[in-house]
Amino acid sequence: MLSPDIQEAARRSVLCWLATVDSVGQPNVSPKEIFAVLDVNHLVIANIASPTSVRNMVANPLVCVSFIDVWVQKGYKVVGRARNVRAQDPDFATWASPLLAQAGPRFPIHSVVVVEATAVEPIIAPSYRLYPDDTTEAAQVESALRTYGVRLAKPGA
């Protein structure tokens, strides 16, 4: 389900957004900066400071995770069932392994949100659909560079 293209898109994304719902239906969306695609069925997200997300997952394990490459303005939405694997759980090291290097000593990982994907959909900026003849990834990158007021570094710089 989480194909190589989806895995590469996740690697290029700086943040993912975890959407949960509490026991009375109140939604919550929270940015997560330490996450990875573990295998073709699972995303893992570090719980560094996410008590609301974890509490909501206990009440309702259905979640949605979105990640987007801000330069090309494409990404994916992954829907699935989540569970919280605590640091003291026997399988914590297995789930946490791709996250520990990202976190380093600066961010303590209290637990790992393990999302088993049940559906995946692409996310693309509206320009790709509304103006397909004029919209390319290169044009989207140029637009984003202008919007953010940045320039790409020269190779080797």
Side-chain angles (χ1 to χ4, degrees):
M1 183 160 295
L2 301 173
S3 69
D5 288 344
I6 295 167
Q7 293 177 34
E8 179 57 28
R11 278 191 290 279
R12 288 192 320 263
S13 300
V14 176
L15 292 173
C16 74
W17 297 88
L18 175 63
T20 60
V21 178
D22 71 12
S23 61
V24 296
Q26 179 65 45
N28 180 68
V29 177
S30 180
K32 310 297 180 202
E33 64 183 300
I34 299 176
F35 67 101
V37 176
L38 183 71
D39 58 35
V40 298
N41 295 311
H42 297 95
L43 289 170
V44 288
I45 303 168
N47 170 17
I48 296 166
S50 303
T52 302
S53 296
V54 170
R55 186 172 53 250
N56 286 355
M57 288 178 341
V58 170
N60 183 345
L62 300 178
V63 300
C64 178
V65 180
S66 298
F67 47 88
I68 298 171
D69 178 326
V70 296
W71 303 111
V72 299
Q73 299 173 36
K74 290 181 178 179
Y76 290 92
K77 174 175 83 170
V78 178
V79 175
R81 297 184 69 79
R83 66 185 178 101
N84 188 49
V85 178
R86 300 168 303 159
Q88 63 268 30
D89 292 342
D91 56 348
F92 176 81
T94 301
W95 296 111
S97 71
L99 305 173
L100 294 172
Q102 291 179 51
R106 184 177 169 130
F107 297 106
I109 297 177
H110 303 294
S111 64
V112 175
V113 174
V114 177
V115 178
E116 183 174 1
T118 57
V120 179
E121 294 179 29
I123 298 172
I124 63 171
S127 298
Y128 286 104
R129 288 193 176 109
L130 296 174
Y131 307 103
D133 296 335
D134 302 331
T135 306
T136 64
E137 287 187 2
Q140 292 297 87
V141 169
E142 283 301 316
S143 175
L145 292 172
R146 280 191 309 276
T147 298
Y148 297 125
V150 297
R151 288 184 287 209
L152 294 176
K154 293 180 183 178

